[in-house]
Amino acid sequence: MTDPVYKTEALIAEDIHAYLRQHETKSLLRFITCGSVDDGKSTLIGRLLYDSKMIFEDQLAALEADSKRVGTQGQEIDFALLVDGLAAEREQGITIDVAYRFFSTEKRKFIVADTPGHEQYTRNMVTGASTADLAVILIDARKGVLTQTRRHSYLAHLIGIRNIVLAVNKMDLVDYSQQVFDDIVADYRAFAASIGVTEFKAIPISGFKGDNITALSPNMPWYTDIALIDHLDTVEINDTADQAKPFRMAVQWVNRPNLDFRGFSGLIASGRVQPGDAVRVLPSGKTSTISRIVTLDGDLDQAVAGQSVTLCFADEIDCSRGDVIATADTPPEAADQFEATVVWMDDEPLHVGRSYWLKLGTQTVSVVLQHPKYAVNVNDPAGAGSHLAVKTLDLNAIGVVALATDKPVVFEPYADNHTLGGFILIDKINNRTVGAGMLNFSLRRAQNVHWQAVDITREMHASLKNQKPAVLWFTGLSGAGKSTIANLVEKKLHRMNRHTFLLDGDNVRHGLNKDLGFTEADRIENIRRVGEVARLMTDAGLIVITAFISPFRAERDMVRAMVPEGEFIEVFIDTPLAEAEARDVKGLYKKARSGTLKNFTGIDSPYEAPDAPEIRIDTTKLTPEQAADLIVERLIG
């Protein structure tokens, strides 16, 4: 199959500058290929690269050699090897990770993402689809519509891809039968209607043989519509639609190279802007007008969605990274409580009540997720999208969740603006991306609850008591001695006429938190409630002493963030597990070892020791009395 004239465009060799100028003016289409396992996604992309002359001669030679050595098509070229680069992918003949490839035609440039078909790699498929304008859903003509076909179609629609191509592949293996094609299209149309997909382009193809890829195939004279590459060349892309929307740009960087220049750089998410336009900076609401649109190649008279620019204002107003510059008369909304659809991407399930980082455009805020309202059953053969009752979200699960951020974020519903409506969730401890989501709408109740101003401030409460408020947060294993030392500390402070209150873990569970168990989610909620109570007590001017195992750093950091800087004092009662278990005052370790007590910290539930506590108490070297003296001395000074 060696093509002796297989070379890149002649214009590259004749006039590279002319080629680059021509290339710059082409529009860019991002699309994904998805579907079930072994439907031919990688082969199709390989064929597109081959037929668009985007393979160099040395690559072609390597492809031919690899095809003979590890290919699945006998002596013929195995186009899938152009995309499947991982050793495990070649060994198993499957796609595991998302592979991005670039190619171009005379009319348009393309970035295609080859996404895996296996259910366990759904998170990878979502990653690839998040930036796509079009989805090519492949179906094996021999197998018809399968579960993963439904799953990937639902996900593509959920993520906001409105251009869908149904590519019925491997038509050469069913004798190019029109009846087979028509039956598959009818089945898919019935399913598509159930998830809200009203339009799609159906094309019968053979990725391996090249039928209907770059030109209509003589093997299927009954199909006279359009070849796949021609459809990709002419379909409308999102940038065109985005330019008609109101102007939005998230500020990525404040550009201040010298005292005479101050601009705000970012990627225009939607709309268009020109000098003289009135704009509003959110969430502050300050207004100004655009004085200049600056780029590396000079000032522009107009900029549109998809361009990265630096905007200068006519007025000196506050604007920083994370702010959003928008049309003055139609600004987006800012809120701190939302309903969102979340795709969970981590092996560890969602911990309800735990604080995560939420990154939305250039905005990063702390967020807490509530119990999912429901999970989406995308595998329902009756039609993807039915609801399941769940307590959390596991790997690859999709659910609708209410969430609250620690400060307002500027947003638009994902359906209207992907940039200001799509977000990722990041674990605060290990910086792992654990989820991706789409904001559906703000919860209006957040705007109906206002902070009531009072005349007696927390400073006045503290002054009356002649002390500085503080939270002494004792943490450590069960049996470490937290309650014993905390009680001694309070007695010593009481004798010094200090106003205190001791919140003990066991005592709180008899009242405020008696409805909570000891699962990870309940432990998180337990600490959140105690943190809120401790914060209110410091507002009253008290020194609050708490004695809780509080095994997770994220929850201790959550409480630290609730009170003013310097008022949270983490006291790590550092006792080795063997020593704590030897004491076993309450007999809890014995029950945990026997299996009668589940989720016990140190045995079958983890304890995350503090990285840098303000006070560390080694109970193997200090008596409780000595430890209490040390803590009081550090507190009072």
Side-chain angles (χ1 to χ4, degrees):
M1 287 188 65
T2 302
D3 185 346
V5 294
Y6 196 91
K7 295 182 175 64
T8 54
E9 283 190 52
L11 188 59
I12 297 178
E14 296 170 3
D15 189 343
I16 184 63
H17 296 292
Y19 171 79
L20 292 174
R21 285 194 298 272
Q22 181 191 81
H23 204 63
E24 285 177 354
T25 61
K26 294 179 182 178
S27 60
L28 172 66
L29 174 69
R30 296 174 180 267
F31 71 96
I32 63 168
T33 58
C34 50
S36 194
V37 178
D38 200 30
D39 279 348
K41 298 179 291 297
S42 300
T43 299
L44 173 61
I45 295 176
R47 169 62 73 173
L48 288 172
L49 294 174
Y50 182 86
D51 287 348
S52 60
K53 304 295 187 287
M54 292 304 294
I55 310 172
F56 292 98
E57 290 179 337
D58 59 336
Q59 292 176 307
L60 183 61
L63 174 63
E64 291 174 337
D66 287 347
S67 297
K68 294 175 181 177
R69 183 170 54 87
V70 294
T72 60
Q73 306 298 336
Q75 295 301 306
E76 307 230 20
I77 290 181
D78 186 351
F79 294 107
L81 297 180
L82 283 170
V83 185
D84 291 337
L86 297 177
E89 293 178 323
R90 293 187 168 203
E91 289 170 1
Q92 300 178 56
I94 63 172
T95 299
I96 296 174
D97 201 0
V98 181
Y100 294 92
R101 292 293 183 270
F102 171 87
F103 69 97
S104 68
T105 63
E106 292 183 0
K107 297 179 181 178
R108 181 171 277 175
K109 295 177 289 187
F110 301 92
I111 296 177
V112 55
D114 182 25
T115 61
H118 283 69
E119 182 176 347
Q120 70 190 85
Y121 303 122
T122 297
R123 55 183 167 181
N124 296 10
M125 180 269 172
V126 172
T127 301
S130 62
T131 57
D133 303 303
L134 179 145
V136 178
I137 309 287
L138 276 93
I139 292 180
D140 188 327
R142 301 167 301 169
K143 301 175 182 177
V145 179
L146 302 176
T147 298
Q148 278 299 82
T149 311
R150 299 186 181 95
R151 186 181 189 88
H152 285 186
S153 298
Y154 177 82
L155 289 169
H157 182 68
L158 176 69
I159 288 170
I161 298 176
R162 296 296 174 258
N163 293 313
I164 292 180
V165 175
L166 182 70
V168 182
N169 194 20
K170 304 185 182 181
M171 290 297 295
D172 54 306
L173 300 182
V174 293
D175 298 325
Y176 300 104
S177 168
Q178 181 179 3
Q179 185 63 50
V180 170
F181 174 74
D182 290 342
D183 289 345
I184 290 174
V185 173
D187 288 346
Y188 186 82
R189 179 171 284 111
F191 159 75
S194 72
I195 61 172
V197 176
T198 56
E199 294 184 9
F200 60 89
K201 172 66 69 175
I203 304 175
I205 67 169
S206 171
F208 177 54
K209 297 292 186 181
D211 295 292
N212 288 339
I213 302 298
T214 58
L216 292 180
S217 170
N219 294 317
M220 289 175 277
W222 46 266
Y223 177 78
T224 58
D225 194 349
I226 190 171
L228 176 62
I229 197 66
D230 291 331
H231 178 70
L232 297 177
D233 265 338
T234 56
V235 69
E236 182 182 8
I237 56 180
N238 288 348
D239 280 352
T240 306
D242 287 342
Q243 291 173 14
K245 298 177 181 178
F247 172 69
R248 308 281 188 260
M249 188 188 89
V251 177
Q252 185 173 2
W253 177 47
V254 178
N255 189 347
R256 191 70 186 268
N258 55 59
L259 294 176
D260 300 321
F261 184 89
R262 184 166 176 256
F264 308 97
S265 304
L267 174 68
I268 300 177
S270 65
R272 54 186 69 236
V273 66
Q274 55 191 20
D277 284 354
V279 293
R280 187 181 302 272
V281 176
L282 298 162
S284 68
K286 300 291 184 181
T287 59
S288 184
T289 56
I290 300 297
S291 61
R292 295 176 62 190
I293 304 174
V294 182
T295 71
L296 189 63
D297 298 322
D299 287 12
L300 301 179
D301 295 327
Q302 178 178 261
V304 298
Q307 288 184 282
S308 293
V309 297
T310 296
L311 302 180
C312 297
F313 295 156
D315 308 289
E316 288 290 333
I317 62 173
D318 183 35
C319 182
S320 57
R321 174 178 168 83
D323 289 347
V324 174
I325 304 172
T327 305
D329 55 355
T330 55
E333 188 180 347
D336 60 4
Q337 294 190 40
F338 308 91
E339 179 187 279
T341 302
V342 174
V343 181
W344 196 252
M345 298 179 168
D346 197 41
D347 294 324
E348 189 174 336
L350 162 67
H351 295 305
V352 175
R354 170 169 290 181
S355 180
Y356 296 93
W357 291 121
L358 180 146
K359 185 172 177 54
L360 177 75
T362 59
Q363 304 171 87
T364 301
V365 295
S366 185
V367 67
V368 174
L369 284 73
Q370 306 303 317
H371 286 284
K373 294 182 178 180
Y374 57 83
V376 179
N377 181 12
V378 296
N379 294 330
D380 187 350
S386 60
H387 298 173
L388 297 171
V390 294
K391 292 184 178 180
T392 186
L393 296 178
D394 296 313
L395 176 63
N396 293 327
I398 304 167
V400 173
V401 182
L403 54 87
T405 58
D406 64 340
K407 60 182 179 181
V409 295
V410 181
F411 85 102
E412 287 189 309
Y414 184 82
D416 300 331
N417 190 317
H418 288 191
T419 302
L420 293 181
F423 62 89
I424 61 172
L425 296 170
I426 302 170
D427 190 293
K428 287 186 173 182
I429 302 300
N430 51 41
N431 284 325
R432 226 172 32 230
T433 298
V434 296
M438 294 135 276
L439 297 178
N440 300 330
F441 50 81
S442 64
L443 298 174
R444 298 294 180 181
R445 63 174 179 267
Q447 301 173 6
N448 299 328
V449 180
H450 305 279
W451 190 268
Q452 179 63 45
V454 293
D455 294 328
I456 306 300
T457 64
R458 72 192 314 273
E459 289 75 19
M460 295 168 70
H461 282 297
S463 177
L464 184 64
K465 297 176 176 61
N466 193 32
Q467 64 184 31
K468 179 183 178 181
V471 176
L472 282 171
W473 191 275
F474 286 70
T475 178
L477 293 169
S478 177
K482 298 182 299 298
S483 296
T484 300
I485 299 173
N487 187 53
L488 287 171
V489 168
E490 185 175 38
K491 287 169 65 177
K492 292 178 183 295
L493 290 173
H494 183 71
R495 288 198 294 267
M496 299 169 68
N497 293 320
R498 304 293 179 174
H499 297 260
T500 64
F501 195 88
L502 174 59
L503 289 169
D504 182 78
D506 285 348
N507 294 348
V508 168
R509 283 186 176 272
H510 281 84
L512 176 67
N513 293 343
K514 66 180 180 182
D515 60 317
L516 299 177
F518 289 90
T519 64
E520 202 155 328
D522 282 349
R523 288 175 182 272
I524 293 169
E525 176 62 13
N526 181 53
I527 298 305
R528 188 197 68 80
R529 293 184 192 179
V530 172
E532 293 288 356
V533 171
R535 181 183 63 81
L536 291 173
M537 287 184 168
T538 58
D539 286 347
L542 296 176
I543 296 172
V544 185
I545 306 165
T546 74
F548 292 82
I549 294 175
S550 49
F552 306 118
R553 296 188 194 98
E555 281 60 70
R556 299 194 296 268
D557 289 343
M558 173 180 64
V559 179
R560 184 187 292 272
M562 292 179 184
V563 297
E565 187 174 354
E567 290 189 10
F568 184 88
I569 301 170
E570 190 172 35
V571 184
F572 178 30
I573 308 301
D574 188 358
T575 302
L577 176 61
E579 177 65 23
E581 188 170 357
R583 297 172 186 173
D584 205 10
V585 180
K586 303 172 185 177
L588 300 179
Y589 283 98
K590 185 178 180 180
K591 292 180 180 179
R593 292 292 186 189
S594 68
T596 59
L597 181 60
K598 299 295 185 182
N599 300 317
F600 189 74
T601 303
I603 304 301
D604 57 352
S605 185
Y607 177 77
E608 298 172 354
D611 290 324
E614 280 74 12
I615 302 174
R616 177 179 175 273
I617 301 296
D618 186 346
T619 60
T620 64
K621 298 178 180 178
L622 296 175
T623 66
E625 192 75 27
Q626 291 171 329
D629 286 337
L630 176 62
I631 294 167
V632 171
E633 181 182 352
R634 292 283 296 275
L635 176 67
I636 303 302

